[in-house]
Amino acid sequence: MENHKNFLTTAPYKGTRDFYPDEMRLRNWMFSVMRETVLSFGYEEYDGPILESFDLYKAKSGEEIVERQLYDFIDKGERRVAIRPEMTPTLARMVAGNLRNLPRPVRWFSVPNLWRYEQPGKGRLREHWQLNVDLFGVDSFRAELEILLIADSILKRFGAPEGSYQIRVSHRKLLDSFLKNSLKLNADQIHGVSKLLDKKSKISAEAFESEIKPFLDDAAKQIPLIETFLGSDLRSVSDIPGIDPESVSFIRNLFGELQALGVEKQLTFDPSIIRGFDYYTGCIFEVFDTNPENRRSLYGGGRYDNLIGLFSKEQLSGIGFGLGDVTLKNFLEGHGLIPNLSREKTVFLPIMEESLFLDTFKLSKELRENGILAETMLDSAKIGKQIQTAEKKGYRFVLFLGESEIRTDTVQIKDLVSGEQKSLPRKGLAEILKKDFQL
Amino acid sequence: MENHKNFLTTAPYKGTRDFYPDEMRLRNWMFSVMRETVLSFGYEEYDGPILESFDLYKAKSGEEIVERQLYDFIDKGERRVAIRPEMTPTLARMVAGNLRNLPRPVRWFSVPNLWRYEQPGKGRLREHWQLNVDLFGVDSFRAELEILLIADSILKRFGAPEGSYQIRVSHRKLLDSFLKNSLKLNADQIHGVSKLLDKKSKISAEAFESEIKPFLDDAAKQIPLIETFLGSDLRSVSDIPGIDPESVSFIRNLFGELQALGVEKQLTFDPSIIRGFDYYTGCIFEVFDTNPENRRSLYGGGRYDNLIGLFSKEQLSGIGFGLGDVTLKNFLEGHGLIPNLSREKTVFLPIMEESLFLDTFKLSKELRENGILAETMLDSAKIGKQIQTAEKKGYRFVLFLGESEIRTDTVQIKDLVSGEQKSLPRKGLAEILKKDFQL
């Protein structure tokens, strides 16, 4: 019967990843660098359930997410639920639910896994993790100042060299005022042109021109004006008639203080960034990888002024960003920033003779109780094979406890890198390992 | 229009929890103690996607899970998928998928969130987290030895006092041999009686008797024999005719070595434990909370010999256990083992005057770059209010940087606990804070 058995596949669900210990170490390392950075700014971690009511996303997330990318279904109690495709709706629900008790500014972060039904590709999977950093209760550009400093500090803490990334900043009201006042478009035209601008970098110049024409009244004049706007810098953008002057001075003030804080070379004004989400209302930014083989947005965010409006009459201005693990990993790999993440495992104890098992196991217990990571073999294979196991598992040191060591109250330690072997007293062994072997 | 708006609820989905920063700190603390313990034994962390193919659970999980508790649905590509209700099927799939490359013994752990459609109650939620610890490739009772030592070490590391918990051990083949050889039941009878034994502690003695009778041929003789079996100790159980002698000596050897390792008082043989899962084939155990108000199984596990049989012709014996965060939290609370988890946040910087913002922000940046957690206000409210914010946020120290401090190149530090305030030099401030204030 066993011969005809159909085995199940060992592959994970399409578009997802298994994290074997090597990959898990990398993920843990990436998350710990991100966590350390945001914790150092006084941010506190939160989390919510991965299932939320479908209504939350219907109300809050963009059309594309809800209609095409959402993992939603009816539960056994007839509730329509969805696996979170982004963290912001959960964040908004939680902040609104405890608004009166949260001392401001509220500084929160989370590292949730998120799900979207997508065609998997480079940098795009169905399940990914994302650092979410948000700050609430500050209306001035100092909120942007701090958030951009965090965005910058994270990459610096990963060791990103100057020039490896660029922080592009704009303001939602710049584009709004340009479309409404400079181009004098109506609401339908604005909707169509915005969508096209968002995908401009992904299509050819010809395709862009032919697709935008139907939304314009006087394409021959308006298209050059669009190019002027998209190519403008912080000086020239003010010269375009109808541009919102407050947004321009907001960004100027922000840039002035960021420069005083040493964030200058990687900073650039870029009116072409759009950010797909509907809820941004103010300053928006994107961090770009400058690696020619991975020229893409690493992460981005912005200000949203009406985040909790779905839950409450209160107003609370917030700003935040999300940084995904897949794009970050591509960035780190591209710039050679992933260190040798050897295991932090240090001492491996083979079983020299079957009769010595309990002695060996007791020694490993004693070491652990004194803060040394110690893994023991559980049977006495040939000693060469046991050392191979230690090597495969990535250990640096092997401790031997044989008959003669037991008689003399010692252990032998072998350094698998240098090949050196020497005898150490059993008494006070943990202290010796910590002091002389930096374990 | 806004007046008639229907606000969305801020409550999370039924049976789940929001982790506000206070709860998140508790969760992170619990996980870090569990992680430290298993890492010290040389275990490595892994993870898999939260969605798996429905077939995986259909083949591997118990009937109750698949039919009544699974969150399963059809995805947009017509695949039937399910949110993981337990980690073992994912673990089996991953181990089977890389069997040849994994050095043995394989020692793995994970802390996944798991979903079951249940009626929420004390210690039972729809989403919970669970430490999973598994060891593969060791057939002898030394695998049990290590796993039980880990189970014990985790609670010890949480500070659990002697007598606060009990480790109850049995063997699947003891019960099997009892039902088959001692009671001489057929397969259908065994199935029915096993199920009843599993729920015996939750029903009255009368209900048990009346429900078991239909499965017995000679209840008057067999019920007392069942009571004898369930009440037996490691000596008397051998006297019951038909009991598997190998299981008895397996447990005796295990207990002998565990006693030599100092795990004795909390250890007990208990033939009444069953463990609902179908895949256990050898030694099984449960850790019980002895708190009279929370007398329940904290966690449990056992040996499964055919875990990867669904994926491969290979054989691999494994043993593992799962420890859920909800039951663990109840245990820790019941025994007063949760410490004061004050934030690790230490320095808060108010803005003394609007004109001094950039100086203050620069100081906080400098402190962070030297390893001090520093949170800054972003606007200059009344100073008393800013100190209140620091207190509410749980800070111990406040740093003041006013005009006179800038002139004299100093800062004022105030200890919010003692009320003391003093002047410190600005130069080398981070080092002084680390040395004199243990920050």
Side-chain angles (χ1 to χ4, degrees):
Chain A
M1 302 242 294
E2 283 291 303
N3 297 346
H4 297 87
K5 199 167 176 178
N6 286 317
F7 290 122
L8 289 179
T9 173
T10 60
Y13 171 64
K14 189 176 177 185
T16 70
R17 291 163 289 173
D18 285 333
F19 292 87
Y20 281 89
D22 286 346
E23 289 94 24
M24 193 68 195
R25 261 201 308 284
L26 175 59
R27 183 176 122 186
N28 279 341
W29 170 74
M30 280 172 36
F31 290 0
S32 74
V33 174
M34 298 194 293
R35 275 200 171 93
E36 275 166 25
T37 314
V38 291
L39 283 170
S40 80
F41 280 82
Y43 284 64
E44 296 193 277
E45 191 168 359
Y46 70 95
D47 194 12
I50 57 158
L51 281 190
E52 292 270 9
S53 130
F54 172 80
D55 292 338
L56 184 64
Y57 301 109
K58 196 180 156 201
K60 241 186 142 52
S61 300
E63 206 176 281
E64 192 187 1
I65 291 180
V66 174
E67 282 171 20
R68 293 212 298 270
Q69 302 186 329
L70 204 59
Y71 278 86
D72 63 305
F73 59 97
I74 310 290
D75 81 3
K76 295 192 198 307
E78 301 297 322
R79 284 181 180 81
R80 188 162 182 191
V81 292
I83 304 180
R84 60 186 174 205
E86 53 171 339
M87 198 60 178
T88 309
T90 300
L91 171 70
R93 183 178 60 66
M94 286 177 63
V95 168
N98 202 17
L99 199 57
R100 306 272 158 112
N101 298 316
L102 298 173
R104 301 185 191 180
V106 178
R107 290 175 159 106
W108 276 15
F109 79 96
S110 190
V111 196
N113 53 341
L114 308 172
W115 282 78
R116 292 191 190 181
Y117 190 79
E118 305 211 61
Q119 205 47 39
K122 194 187 177 188
R124 200 175 52 228
L125 291 168
R126 292 188 176 174
E127 181 182 46
H128 82 296
W129 275 256
Q130 191 183 63
L131 170 69
N132 279 251
V133 180
D134 289 270
L135 169 64
F136 299 95
V138 176
D139 294 331
S140 78
F141 67 87
R142 287 173 186 164
E144 276 79 359
L145 182 74
E146 177 166 294
I147 284 292
L148 286 173
L149 189 63
I150 295 173
D152 186 62
S153 299
I154 290 171
L155 294 185
K156 286 219 173 94
R157 202 176 275 236
F158 276 112
E162 211 170 80
S164 61
Y165 62 95
Q166 215 182 24
I167 304 174
R168 302 183 185 172
V169 180
S170 187
H171 197 292
R172 173 56 47 106
K173 289 195 178 120
L174 270 186
L175 179 68
D176 289 349
S177 62
F178 173 72
L179 298 175
K180 203 175 155 195
N181 306 334
S182 312
L183 294 184
K184 300 197 191 301
L185 305 181
N186 64 32
D188 285 347
Q189 291 172 316
I190 288 175
H191 186 74
V193 171
S194 298
K195 279 202 157 182
L196 267 171
L197 289 174
D198 200 17
K199 69 171 187 180
K200 185 173 186 292
S201 64
K202 291 168 197 147
I203 58 177
S204 70
E206 293 73 33
F208 176 72
E209 268 204 29
S210 75
E211 286 189 46
I212 205 167
K213 274 185 185 163
F215 297 109
L216 301 175
D217 301 315
D218 185 359
K221 275 194 187 161
Q222 285 171 314
I223 288 176
L225 194 53
I226 290 173
E227 295 299 342
T228 302
F229 172 74
L230 296 179
S232 63
D233 59 25
L234 256 183
R235 278 164 196 256
S236 64
V237 74
S238 318
D239 299 337
I240 300 174
I243 284 288
D244 176 48
E246 278 179 34
S247 308
V248 178
S249 59
F250 184 98
I251 296 180
R252 277 189 190 147
N253 289 332
L254 173 63
F255 277 27
E257 298 215 343
L258 275 169
Q259 281 158 10
L261 290 163
V263 182
E264 182 170 5
K265 292 197 175 145
Q266 59 273 48
L267 202 62
T268 181
F269 168 70
D270 184 351
S272 77
I273 66 166
I274 310 286
R275 304 287 309 149
F277 292 121
D278 294 329
Y279 40 75
Y280 292 117
T281 53
C283 187
I284 47 179
F285 70 96
E286 285 194 359
V287 181
F288 269 76
D289 190 347
T290 58
N291 182 353
E293 281 164 35
N294 195 40
R295 218 173 255 288
R296 55 177 292 161
S297 173
L298 251 174
Y299 56 111
R303 185 183 281 269
Y304 34 78
D305 279 320
N306 43 10
L307 188 81
I308 60 166
L310 283 171
F311 308 95
S312 147
K313 279 182 300 189
E314 310 258 350
Q315 281 288 323
L316 183 68
S317 184
I319 172 166
F321 68 84
L323 166 54
D325 70 325
V326 184
T327 47
L328 177 63
K329 191 182 161 202
N330 291 342
F331 172 81
L332 296 173
E333 279 172 347
H335 295 280
L337 297 174
I338 296 178
N340 176 16
L341 292 168
S342 65
R343 306 169 207 209
E344 284 169 37
K345 308 199 320 188
T346 41
V347 179
F348 187 84
L349 294 93
I351 304 296
M352 306 294 285
E353 286 174 48
E354 195 58 27
S355 61
L356 298 177
F357 168 75
L358 205 52
D359 288 293
T360 313
F361 202 73
K362 270 185 189 169
L363 175 59
S364 72
K365 183 167 182 274
E366 191 184 304
L367 290 173
R368 279 192 291 270
E369 284 166 0
N370 288 285
I372 305 274
L373 190 165
E375 180 169 351
T376 321
M377 282 298 282
L378 295 177
D379 45 35
S380 56
K382 278 186 189 149
I383 193 66
K385 219 186 143 200
Q386 296 192 62
I387 293 175
Q388 268 180 22
T389 300
E391 279 170 340
K392 271 194 209 156
K393 283 183 173 239
Y395 280 91
R396 171 81 187 267
F397 297 103
V398 177
L399 279 190
F400 300 107
L401 186 71
E403 292 284 9
S404 69
E405 283 78 29
I406 294 211
R407 266 198 311 278
T408 53
D409 223 13
T410 58
V411 298
Q412 293 281 324
I413 186 166
K414 187 184 172 89
D415 183 334
L416 293 179
V417 175
S418 71
E420 273 178 76
Q421 183 166 338
K422 66 179 191 176
S423 180
L424 296 176
R426 165 84 191 251
K427 208 175 164 186
L429 180 61
E431 291 315 309
I432 296 168
L433 291 174
K434 283 185 209 168
K435 208 171 136 250
D436 298 349
F437 295 82
Q438 281 83 47
L439 301 196
Chain B
M1 303 240 297
E2 283 291 304
N3 297 345
H4 297 87
K5 199 167 177 179
N6 286 316
F7 290 122
L8 289 179
T9 173
T10 59
Y13 171 63
K14 189 178 178 184
T16 70
R17 291 163 290 173
D18 285 332
F19 292 87
Y20 282 89
D22 286 346
E23 289 93 25
M24 194 67 195
R25 261 200 309 284
L26 175 59
R27 183 175 121 186
N28 280 340
W29 169 74
M30 280 172 37
F31 290 0
S32 74
V33 174
M34 298 193 293
R35 276 199 170 95
E36 275 167 25
T37 312
V38 291
L39 284 169
S40 80
F41 280 82
Y43 284 65
E44 296 193 277
E45 191 167 359
Y46 70 96
D47 194 12
I50 56 157
L51 281 190
E52 293 271 8
S53 128
F54 172 79
D55 292 339
L56 185 64
Y57 301 110
K58 195 179 156 199
K60 243 191 131 61
S61 299
E63 207 177 279
E64 193 188 357
I65 291 179
V66 174
E67 283 172 19
R68 293 213 299 269
Q69 302 186 328
L70 205 59
Y71 277 86
D72 63 305
F73 59 98
I74 310 291
D75 80 4
K76 296 194 197 306
E78 301 296 322
R79 283 180 180 82
R80 188 163 182 191
V81 292
I83 303 180
R84 61 186 173 206
E86 53 170 340
M87 197 61 179
T88 309
T90 300
L91 171 71
R93 182 177 62 65
M94 286 177 63
V95 168
N98 202 17
L99 200 57
R100 305 274 158 108
N101 298 316
L102 298 173
R104 302 187 191 178
V106 177
R107 290 175 160 105
W108 277 13
F109 78 95
S110 190
V111 196
N113 52 342
L114 308 173
W115 281 78
R116 292 193 190 178
Y117 191 79
E118 304 211 62
Q119 206 47 41
K122 195 188 177 188
R124 199 174 54 226
L125 291 168
R126 291 187 177 175
E127 180 182 48
H128 83 295
W129 274 256
Q130 191 183 64
L131 170 70
N132 279 250
V133 180
D134 289 271
L135 168 64
F136 300 95
V138 176
D139 293 332
S140 78
F141 67 88
R142 287 174 186 162
E144 277 78 1
L145 182 73
E146 178 165 293
I147 284 291
L148 286 174
L149 189 63
I150 295 173
D152 187 60
S153 299
I154 289 172
L155 294 185
K156 286 218 173 94
R157 203 176 273 236
F158 276 111
E162 210 169 79
S164 61
Y165 62 95
Q166 214 181 25
I167 304 173
R168 302 183 186 173
V169 180
S170 187
H171 197 292
R172 173 56 48 105
K173 288 194 179 122
L174 270 187
L175 179 67
D176 290 349
S177 62
F178 173 72
L179 298 175
K180 202 174 157 197
N181 306 336
S182 313
L183 293 185
K184 302 198 189 302
L185 305 181
N186 64 32
D188 286 345
Q189 291 172 316
I190 286 175
H191 185 75
V193 171
S194 298
K195 279 203 156 181
L196 266 171
L197 288 175
D198 201 16
K199 69 171 189 179
K200 185 173 186 292
S201 64
K202 292 168 198 148
I203 57 176
S204 70
E206 294 72 36
F208 176 74
E209 269 204 28
S210 75
E211 286 189 47
I212 204 167
K213 274 185 182 162
F215 297 109
L216 301 176
D217 301 313
D218 185 0
K221 274 192 187 163
Q222 286 170 314
I223 288 176
L225 194 53
I226 290 172
E227 295 298 342
T228 302
F229 172 73
L230 295 179
S232 63
D233 61 26
L234 256 182
R235 279 164 196 254
S236 64
V237 74
S238 317
D239 298 337
I240 300 174
I243 285 289
D244 176 49
E246 279 179 34
S247 308
V248 179
S249 59
F250 185 98
I251 296 180
R252 277 189 189 147
N253 288 332
L254 173 63
F255 277 27
E257 298 214 343
L258 275 170
Q259 280 158 10
L261 290 163
V263 182
E264 184 170 2
K265 291 195 180 149
Q266 59 273 48
L267 203 63
T268 180
F269 168 70
D270 183 351
S272 76
I273 66 166
I274 310 286
R275 305 287 309 149
F277 292 120
D278 294 330
Y279 40 74
Y280 291 116
T281 52
C283 187
I284 47 180
F285 70 95
E286 285 194 358
V287 181
F288 268 76
D289 190 347
T290 58
N291 181 352
E293 280 163 36
N294 195 40
R295 218 172 255 289
R296 54 179 292 160
S297 174
L298 250 175
Y299 55 112
R303 186 183 282 270
Y304 36 78
D305 280 320
N306 44 10
L307 187 80
I308 60 166
L310 283 171
F311 307 96
S312 148
K313 279 182 300 192
E314 311 259 349
Q315 280 287 322
L316 183 68
S317 184
I319 172 167
F321 68 86
L323 166 55
D325 70 326
V326 185
T327 46
L328 177 62
K329 190 181 161 204
N330 290 342
F331 172 80
L332 296 173
E333 279 173 345
H335 294 281
L337 297 174
I338 296 178
N340 176 16
L341 292 167
S342 65
R343 307 168 205 208
E344 283 169 39
K345 307 200 318 189
T346 41
V347 179
F348 187 84
L349 294 92
I351 304 297
M352 305 294 284
E353 286 173 47
E354 195 58 26
S355 61
L356 298 178
F357 167 73
L358 204 53
D359 289 291
T360 312
F361 202 72
K362 271 184 188 167
L363 174 60
S364 73
K365 183 167 182 275
E366 192 185 303
L367 290 173
R368 279 192 291 270
E369 284 166 0
N370 287 286
I372 306 274
L373 189 166
E375 180 169 351
T376 321
M377 281 301 280
L378 295 177
D379 45 34
S380 57
K382 278 188 190 145
I383 193 66
K385 218 185 144 199
Q386 296 192 62
I387 293 175
Q388 267 180 22
T389 300
E391 279 171 341
K392 270 194 210 157
K393 283 182 173 242
Y395 279 91
R396 171 78 186 269
F397 296 104
V398 177
L399 280 189
F400 300 107
L401 186 71
E403 292 284 10
S404 68
E405 284 78 29
I406 294 213
R407 266 198 311 277
T408 53
D409 224 12
T410 58
V411 298
Q412 293 282 325
I413 186 166
K414 186 184 171 88
D415 183 334
L416 292 180
V417 174
S418 71
E420 273 177 75
Q421 183 168 337
K422 67 178 189 176
S423 180
L424 297 175
R426 166 85 191 249
K427 207 177 166 187
L429 180 61
E431 291 315 309
I432 295 168
L433 291 174
K434 281 186 211 166
K435 208 170 137 252
D436 298 349
F437 295 83
Q438 281 84 49
L439 300 196

